[in-house]
Each structure stands twice: as structure tokens, then as C-alpha cells.
Amino acid sequence: MSSPVSYELEGNIGVITVDNPPVNALSQPVRQGLLDAVTAAQADGSEALVILCAGRTFIAGADITEFGKPLKSPWLPELLAAIEASEKRVIAAIHGTALGGGFETALSAHYRCAVATAKIGLPEIKLGLLPGAGGTQRTPRLAGVQAALELITSGTPIAAEEGQAIGLIDRIIEGDLREGAIAWARDLAASDAPVRRSSEQPVPEFDPGIFDAWRAELAKRARGQIAPEHIVTCVEVGATTSFAEGMAKERELFMECMDSPQSAGMRHIFFAERTAAKVEGLAKDTPQRTIAKVGIIGGGTMGGGIAMSFANAGFDVTLIEVDDEALKRGLGIIERNYAGSVKRGKLSESDAAGHRARIAGSTDYASLADVDLVVEAVFEDPELKKTIFKKLDDTCKTGAILATNTSYQDVDAIAAVTGRPQDVIGMHFFSPAHIMKLLEVVRGAKTADDVLSTVMGLAKKIGKVPVVSGVCYGFIGNRMLKPYGETAQLMLLEGASPEQIDNAMEAWGMAMGPLRVFDLAGLDVGYKARQALSDAEKGDPKSYRVPDLLVELGRMGQKSGAGFYSYDENRRAIPDPAVDKLIEIAAEDLGVERRTITDEEIVDRLISALVNEGRKILDEGIAQRSSDIDVVYVYGYGFPASRGGPMFYADNKG
Ligand code: T1G
Ligand code: NAD
């Protein structure tokens, strides 16, 4: 099998090209090929070497598919030491995203150039790892301790020009990268530029207190994760002793992270997210419909955020509301959201203005006549939704995709009122819709394959993580939330307080405890839904008695200033003795014995409730695979990625 690395002399420049689709990951053959090329170059007539990549990107990292298997030589640190030891000056030429081991490869070169659109980064922390091939040692020597810690602990890639500003990139190449890099290599050779090894450079001046300051900051930001703390230690050892000792510390702590359950969980989610985008049985080349113009019905909590998700991705949006006043309110929410993003530095003024300009408002459905996709996000009222879908069926052009953002309604029943059920699908966004990444794509019984394929592709274009769900009450996430919430209610009656339950779950890693989530979403939502049900349909009264009593007292959660907690002006949750009293009375009334409940029992019962429902969802074929369920809970419900998702966690617990 031919090597994915080729080497050829162009005059006095040795050109090493890596060609290992899709992202030039550093698989063993790539590592071997690079080592062979650099070794060969030491003995030929080359005066400088250029390392570049074919395809869409420079090396995007170590080959994650090799993780968890015995590491094969040449090990990456050894390879990079050989590149750096080269007597011929080595130039890395970067395009696309040079990430992780890919950027570490560039750091082991003596010079780095890139096209302006390139990005560089060390995202290992997102996999529960740390740069394990010199990234924690070479980055500080080139960019300083502070910039290195920012880059490595954030894991966020930076633009080539930003890299140049902090000393990680030496030159931005205009035009063709290969030509530009070879020409620059010729100049370096002609001017006898030194073989500049970053490992031999001293770490620029730094404040010795910087490491403890970073430890304190990370203890808050990345609660319970081991990689962040280890990154600080690696940088500290390398900066305060020697490169060699730093490398030894890096190797030791990298292996500890690699073997940790946290990294196993985060690597599982990395692949699960990508697998979720694949639909079993759907041909990879299923044609996709062209989507350019999007209509959104309803500019409320969800509609505004959905409109922004599409506008931010470059789509023209028409937002429909019932009347001018509601439309004005809806557009007002959008404007406030954009202003907030600009204020927080998430968006430039001009970008926000550009996105906002793509959203037009209307109260006339006729303005949807030529849209390619409609997303309905009106009240959770089945009859209203059916009325709207009938109107859309009469108004929209043939081939337009008609999607509903409903949380619970039957997508098949909505499709049935139209003459085009094959064009109807569920697109279930999560609040706030312009921020939450999860998108449950609800496949109706009659949804056409090309409609499903189009929406799955569209999800990625608007920065969402799509997961296919079948039609059932609550699809995947909200259906699992139900037993989770009921179990929390039961434990309240049995003796655990709201803050004990929430604190136990947040200490375990959940972004937010269940009662705080329900206060955030509003207790009135469930209360209203229950009014439409018979006692039999409502289920065990223990599972909803307390929230009903709270709503009847006007305590609807954050929106009314009190729910399971009372809230101060900064919406901080404050335990309320009146609620404890109310729970005790309800428990007595329902004949529930109260007792002390441990945090372990709380975690165990709540996670089991999620997992047991997840198993039913799998058995019924509502979800394609258990890793899809993990993606739903990590991206939609604040489940910690470091635990891999409910199903992964349960499988590993045995
Ligand atoms: N290894 C193996 N496969 C990878 C891969 C990797 N590093 N990165 C991506 N793929 C696969 C991915 O599974 C998918 O496969 C296809 O490539 C396209 O990816 C020692 C230890 C580069 C920004 O963390 O962030 O280096 O589904 O769908 O949206 O210090 O992939 O087509 O079969 O995501 O255009 C550090 C991870 C590794 C970068 C491209 N590097 N990758 O995004 O395409 S650890 C990373 C990404 C490390 C060293 C340490 C993204 C991307 P398939 P994709 P994309
Ligand atoms: P909302 O009450 O905030 O907004 C609904 C909007 O629809 C209102 O602005 C109303 O004026 C508008 N509307 C009503 N009838 C209309 C009509 N005939 N034409 C045009 N607009 C009309 O509701 P929401 O929270 O945005 O929820 C909307 C949908 O999204 C519901 O189906 C809900 O289940 C679903 N959803 C909500 C959330 C959430 O967390 N709020 C999350 C996911 C999905």
C-alpha cells in the first residue's frame, strides 16, 4: 500500500506532502512516512524542507480512531523530535485547521507559514486530553505562558493572523500556499536562516504566580475535570525547569488523561455526534433539496431564536406573526438578542447588522409562497398547528419542506392534514434556539428520504447537531425528561429537599439540577398540559402534586419570581422554607413516609430513570442507536460530556 506521505525535491527544496483524507490525521502510516521523508532529506541536496498537506486541511490531529488501542511507533513525540532535530531548516505550510498533533507538528518545524483563512489550535481539552506531543512545551516558548495557557485550556482554534500576532505563525502566504511556501523556503535557504528549534528557546518572562491564578480560574470553569489542571502543571514544569523535564511531565499526565473515564466519555461524544448525522438505510448520495429562503411561523420564545439560527448561517428569513403588534414584539426579541451578542463580544456590530437584515417580518402567509422551508413555532396547540399546516399546504410551492418545532404533538397527525405528508418533518429546536446546538429531527411515517437527508444536511449548515427521532410523545429528550422529573418529585416527597437534589446532580456534573430546570422552563407549562388530561392519563399524583400546588399558589418558577425556589433580582435560586413545608404537607396527604436520602441514591435513581426510558426508546426504534441518545442528552439537557451520555455511562457502570 503506498504511503500517505510523498517526498520530492523541487530544486534545493525538499517538499513533503501528507495526503491522508479526510483530515490528514496522524495515523501510523502518516507518522512513518513523515519520519522516512525527514530522514531521507538529511542526506540529499535539499537546503530546506516544506511540510504541507493535500486536501482540505493541514493535519487535524492525532488519529483519534487509534486511541484506546496499543500505540504503534513511531510515537508522535519521537517523530516531532526528529523533525526538530533536522539539520535542514523545516517550514510547515498550513491551510484549513492545524489542530492538536497537527499543530504540534508545525511547532516542531523551525518556521511556520499559513494562508490567512487557516486556523491553528490545541483542542485536546475537548477530548479530556492535553497536547501530548510537545504542545505544552513549545507553545509557551514561542508565545509566552499566558497566551499558551489561553490557547490550550480553551481548546478554541485561532485565526492565522492571531497566531502570527503571538509568535506562533511567522508569515501569512498570499495566493497559492505550495508556491508561496517553497519560495519562502528558498529565501530562507539563500539567507542562510538558522535552524530555529523552539525547544531551545527560553520561555519569555512570566509572573510566577500565573500558574496558581490559572488553577483557581479553571477549578471554577471546568469543575471536576482533570485535564485542565494537568495542562497548567505541564506548562509550569516546562517553564520553571527544562524542556526535557516538561516533556517527561507532559507524557506522564497525557497518559493519565488518555486512560481516564472522562476522556473516554468525551471521545465517545466526539464520534457519537458525527455518527448521529448518519441515517441508517439512507443512501449517502440521497439528493438534497436546495434551501435558500426560510419561513418561520411564530416569533415567540422559539421562533425568534430559530429565525436567528438561519439568518446567522446566511439564509433569508421571513418571520410570520398573527398581527403587527406580535410581529413587532417578535422582532424586538431578535434585536435584543443581537444587541446582547454584540455587547458580549460574540458578534461584531456589522455581522449582527448583516444577520438582522436577513430577517423580514410579515403577517401575510402569502409571503411564504416561494420559501423552500417553513418552520412552524406557534403555541403548543394541536388544532392551531393543523390549521396552520392546512394554510401552508395551500400557500407554499411544490417541494417546500414543512417542518414543525412542536415539543409533543404527533407529527404524523399534522402531516395528515396536508396533501403532501412526504414533505412534512419535525425540527425540534431547544431553548434558547439560537444557542442550544441540539436539533431533534422527527421523521414522520411518510417523510420522504430526500426531505430527511436535506434537513440533516441543513442542521450542520446552521451549526446544529442533528439526531433523528421517530414519532412518540416527547420524541427522545423530553420523553426521557418525564420519568427523570417524576423521580425527582417522588424524592422530594420522600424527604430530599429541592437544593439537595439539585446540588447532588450538579456536583455529579449536570449543568443544572432538575428542579432548577423546571423553574427555568416554567411550572405552568406542565400544569396547563395536565389540565387537558384525565386523572388516569395524569399518572401517579405523587409525580405532579407538588408542582400543581406551587402553580396554584402562583409560583410558576423564575418567570414569576418563585417556584421550587424563590429568586432574587439576579435570578439566583434561594431555598424557600415555605416550599419545604408545602412538600411535607403533600407527603402526609399522599401517605408518603419521609426519610433521609443520600446524594448517591439521588444520582443513582435519577440517572437510572433516564437510562431505563432510553432503553425503551431504543427497543421501540424511536432512536437509531444508543449513542444518539447520548448526543441528545449532552447537547440538549446539560448532561456532562465527560461522562459520555446516559447510555454510555450506564454501559460502563455495568
Ligand atoms: N482523527 C480521526 N478522524 C478524525 C479526526 C481525528 N483527529 N478529526 C476528524 N476526523 C474524522 C471525523 O470522524 C469524520 O469522519 C471526518 O474526519 C470529518 O470530520 C497528540 C492527542 C478537523 C475541524 O480534536 O475538530 O492530536 O464521519 O465531520 O466538520 O496532542 O473534525 O467522515 O467518517 O468533524 O469539517 C486533536 C478533531 C486530536 C480535531 C473538521 N484534534 N476534529 O470538521 O468534519 S487529539 C482534534 C475536528 C491530538 C495530540 C493529541 C473536526 C475538523 P467521518 P468532521 P468537519
Ligand atoms: P410562545 O408562546 O413563546 O410563542 C408562540 C408564538 O406563536 C407567539 O408569539 C404567537 O403570537 C405566535 N402565533 C400564534 N398563532 C399564530 C399564527 N396563527 N400565526 C403566526 N404566529 C402565531 O411559544 P414558544 O415557547 O416559542 O413555543 C412555540 C413552539 O415551540 C411550541 O410548539 C413549543 O412546544 C415548541 N418548543 C418550545 C420550547 C421552549 O422551551 N419554549 C422548546 C422547544 C420547542
Side-chain angles (χ1 to χ4, degrees), residues 15 147 163 230 241 255 269 296 318 326 455 536 571 585 626:
V15 182
H230 282 356
T241 58
M255 292 315 287
I269 286 299
I296 309 286
T318 302
V455 171
R571 295 198 152 205
I585 294 167
S626 77

Side-chain angles (χ1 to χ4, degrees), residues 226-247:
I226 59 170
E229 155 64 26
H230 282 356
I231 287 166
V232 177
T233 302
C234 290
V235 173
E236 180 177 37
V237 169
T240 56
T241 58
S242 69
F243 178 81
E245 286 184 67
M247 285 300 285

Side-chain angles (χ1 to χ4, degrees), residues 302-374:
M302 296 306 287
I306 297 169
M308 290 173 69
S309 296
F310 281 101
N312 296 353
F315 292 87
D316 289 334
V317 177
T318 302
L319 182 66
I320 299 279
E321 258 291 359
V322 274
D323 56 37
D324 287 338
E325 195 233 329
L327 180 60
K328 198 157 161 284
R329 192 181 57 237
L331 293 174
I333 296 175
I334 290 171
E335 266 135 27
R336 273 197 300 285
N337 281 337
Y338 277 126
S341 301
V342 170
K343 209 165 87 210
R344 284 194 307 276
K346 291 255 181 299
L347 263 183
S348 70
E349 193 79 59
S350 59
D351 283 353
H355 297 336
R356 171 67 192 84
R358 283 191 208 96
I359 302 173
S362 169
T363 56
D364 176 3
Y365 278 67
S367 55
L368 299 178
D370 65 345
V371 298
D372 308 300
L373 163 77
V374 179

Side-chain angles (χ1 to χ4, degrees), residues 296-304 306 320-323 326 329-330 365 376-381 384-385 388 391 404-409 428-431 478 521 525:
I296 309 286
I297 317 275
T301 311
M302 296 306 287
I306 297 169
I320 299 279
E321 258 291 359
V322 274
D323 56 37
R329 192 181 57 237
Y365 278 67
E376 168 272 314
V378 302
F379 303 131
E380 185 65 351
D381 166 347
L384 174 61
K385 291 184 188 293
I388 286 177
K391 209 185 276 186
T404 171
N405 178 50
T406 185
S407 298
Y408 290 97
Q409 301 313 315
H428 184 222
F429 290 82
F430 284 74
S431 179
N478 282 346
V525 177

Side-chain angles (χ1 to χ4, degrees), residues 71-415:
L71 287 175
K72 291 198 206 102
S73 71
W75 287 10
L76 192 51
E78 286 165 356
L79 164 64
L80 303 194
I83 292 174
E84 190 178 61
S86 162
E87 292 305 322
K88 309 289 181 69
R89 51 189 74 79
V90 181
I91 293 96
I94 298 170
H95 73 293
T97 51
L99 300 175
F103 185 55
E104 289 174 301
T105 301
L107 288 170
S108 71
H110 308 125
Y111 295 88
R112 284 154 292 284
C113 64
V115 291
T117 53
K119 286 184 179 294
I120 59 174
L122 293 167
E124 288 87 343
I125 196 167
K126 292 182 180 164
L127 298 171
L129 300 171
L130 52 85
T136 64
Q137 305 305 312
R138 292 191 172 96
T139 312
R141 282 167 171 73
L142 290 169
V145 168
Q146 175 65 12
L149 284 170
E150 277 167 5
L151 187 69
I152 303 170
T153 59
S154 71
T156 307
I158 59 175
E161 269 147 54
E162 207 183 323
Q164 187 178 31
I166 59 176
L168 296 176
I169 297 284
D170 302 300
R171 174 171 291 213
I172 301 293
I173 300 288
E174 309 290 332
D176 181 80
L177 175 64
R178 190 174 192 283
E179 272 171 38
I182 290 172
W184 185 38
R186 285 211 169 81
D187 294 347
L188 289 169
S191 60
D192 197 20
V195 170
R196 200 179 56 168
R197 298 187 176 99
S198 50
S199 62
E200 292 165 0
Q201 292 182 24
V203 176
E205 192 66 26
F206 59 88
D207 164 6
I210 189 169
F211 302 107
D212 285 344
W214 268 95
R215 285 192 175 91
E217 161 66 21
L218 291 168
K220 285 200 304 274
R221 195 171 75 186
R223 194 183 47 208
Q225 291 184 34
I226 59 170
E229 155 64 26
H230 282 356
I231 287 166
V232 177
T233 302
C234 290
V235 173
E236 180 177 37
V237 169
T240 56
T241 58
S242 69
F243 178 81
E245 286 184 67
M247 285 300 285
K249 180 55 73 179
E250 183 188 85
R251 189 95 213 131
E252 172 204 337
L253 297 184
F254 172 77
M255 292 315 287
E256 192 182 311
C257 289
M258 177 67 88
D259 297 340
S260 72
Q262 291 183 2
S263 181
M266 294 166 97
R267 296 196 313 263
H268 166 73
I269 286 299
F270 175 86
F271 285 114
E273 174 190 337
R274 286 155 179 80
T275 307
K278 293 167 184 145
V279 181
E280 305 290 335
L282 199 62
K284 231 173 142 59
D285 58 356
T286 303
Q288 300 195 359
R289 297 184 189 179
T290 307
I291 305 290
K293 291 186 177 157
V294 178
I296 309 286
I297 317 275
T301 311
M302 296 306 287
I306 297 169
M308 290 173 69
S309 296
F310 281 101
N312 296 353
F315 292 87
D316 289 334
V317 177
T318 302
L319 182 66
I320 299 279
E321 258 291 359
V322 274
D323 56 37
D324 287 338
E325 195 233 329
L327 180 60
K328 198 157 161 284
R329 192 181 57 237
L331 293 174
I333 296 175
I334 290 171
E335 266 135 27
R336 273 197 300 285
N337 281 337
Y338 277 126
S341 301
V342 170
K343 209 165 87 210
R344 284 194 307 276
K346 291 255 181 299
L347 263 183
S348 70
E349 193 79 59
S350 59
D351 283 353
H355 297 336
R356 171 67 192 84
R358 283 191 208 96
I359 302 173
S362 169
T363 56
D364 176 3
Y365 278 67
S367 55
L368 299 178
D370 65 345
V371 298
D372 308 300
L373 163 77
V374 179
V375 183
E376 168 272 314
V378 302
F379 303 131
E380 185 65 351
D381 166 347
E383 291 322 307
L384 174 61
K385 291 184 188 293
K386 287 174 185 167
T387 307
I388 286 177
F389 270 75
K390 277 200 198 88
K391 209 185 276 186
L392 294 174
D393 194 22
D394 298 341
T395 310
C396 296
K397 70 183 183 188
T398 307
I401 293 177
L402 309 180
T404 171
N405 178 50
T406 185
S407 298
Y408 290 97
Q409 301 313 315
D410 180 343
V411 174
D412 291 332
I414 291 172

